[in-house]
Amino acid sequence: MAADRDLALVARRELEHRATHDELTGLPGRALLFDRVQHAVDATERHQSSIAVLLMDVDHFKAIKDEMGHATGDVVLTEVARRVKSVLRSSDTLARLSGDEFVAVCEDLSTGEEDLDQEIAVIVSRIGSALGRPVYVAGHEVTVSVSVGVALASRDRSARDLIDTADQAMYRAKHEGRGLVVIRNPASAAGRG
């Protein structure tokens, strides 16, 4: 009887994990991402800190998939997830939003503009370095870069607002040449970057 309960508990946990995590990368999925962003926003007031939401889109991913196949695309996405996660702090969240889009939620950042800019520069530099080495798949060398949109907040923002702002910034980065970073503060109409 206890063994049946244990099996049922394990099955339920596995089902819950599948519902909240991306099957390919094992990262939190869309629903869990929104929850984590909102939790981070709520914590900024208590901790007198800022957060950054980085939306990353793999540059030329469709061409990689079209030229080398879906299996190669899956390997590239898995490797991007592994590399980006490896350079984030353990307190940060990396999630797969959809397709070739990833979101990093970096909490407990400075509230001073100069210090915050420096912290963002360090995070983006680490991500760029991690992705700077080619990915080797089935004898092919695949060069990977990401366009990054960053939304900043220190309080009173919704998860949807931050992710939408990061998404707009990422599209601007892609439009301006790919492999770029655009930073926007949702509190200011003009943004930065």
Side-chain angles (χ1 to χ4, degrees):
M1 179 99 60
D4 289 342
R5 253 189 318 217
D6 291 343
L7 287 174
L9 182 61
V10 167
R12 190 177 81 225
R13 285 183 180 157
E14 185 176 316
L15 198 57
E16 288 170 356
H17 187 270
R18 284 185 181 175
T20 59
H21 288 75
D22 176 59
E23 188 175 339
L24 178 66
T25 63
L27 295 174
R30 185 180 198 86
L32 189 53
L33 167 66
F34 278 83
D35 182 63
R36 298 245 175 114
V37 173
Q38 195 59 56
H39 181 269
V41 170
D42 294 343
T44 60
E45 186 114 0
R46 285 192 311 274
H47 299 152
Q48 297 297 304
S49 62
S50 296
I51 66 167
V53 174
L54 290 76
L55 198 149
M56 297 163 273
D57 185 85
V58 179
D59 295 326
H60 307 292
F61 183 71
K62 184 179 182 326
I64 292 169
K65 215 169 50 171
D66 289 350
E67 291 172 20
M68 298 181 197
H70 288 282
T72 297
D74 286 351
V75 170
V76 168
L77 292 175
T78 302
E79 187 62 12
V80 166
R82 187 191 69 73
R83 289 183 186 186
V84 172
K85 187 171 175 61
S86 75
V87 297
L88 295 176
R89 302 169 302 172
S90 61
S91 60
D92 297 334
T93 297
L94 180 64
R96 184 172 176 206
L97 184 60
S98 65
D100 61 335
E101 293 183 336
F102 296 89
V103 175
V105 183
C106 302
E107 300 183 53
D108 293 322
L109 301 175
S110 299
T111 55
E113 189 172 321
E114 191 173 306
D115 290 338
L116 183 56
D117 286 346
Q118 186 175 1
E119 287 175 311
I120 298 299
V122 167
I123 294 166
V124 170
S125 174
R126 286 181 183 160
I127 292 170
S129 293
L131 297 177
R133 299 180 320 274
V135 176
Y136 295 97
V137 186
H140 298 294
E141 184 178 294
V142 182
T143 302
V144 179
S145 67
V146 291
S147 294
V148 183
V150 182
L152 305 173
S154 57
R155 62 182 163 74
D156 298 333
R157 294 288 157 207
S158 71
R160 167 66 62 196
D161 182 34
L162 281 171
I163 291 172
D164 286 349
T165 300
D167 189 51
Q168 292 165 10
M170 182 275 298
Y171 275 102
R172 182 171 164 205
K174 275 196 163 317
H175 178 73
E176 292 181 4
R178 301 182 189 262
L180 300 176
V181 178
V182 172
I183 300 173
R184 288 207 163 163
N185 184 340
S188 68
R192 300 183 324 180

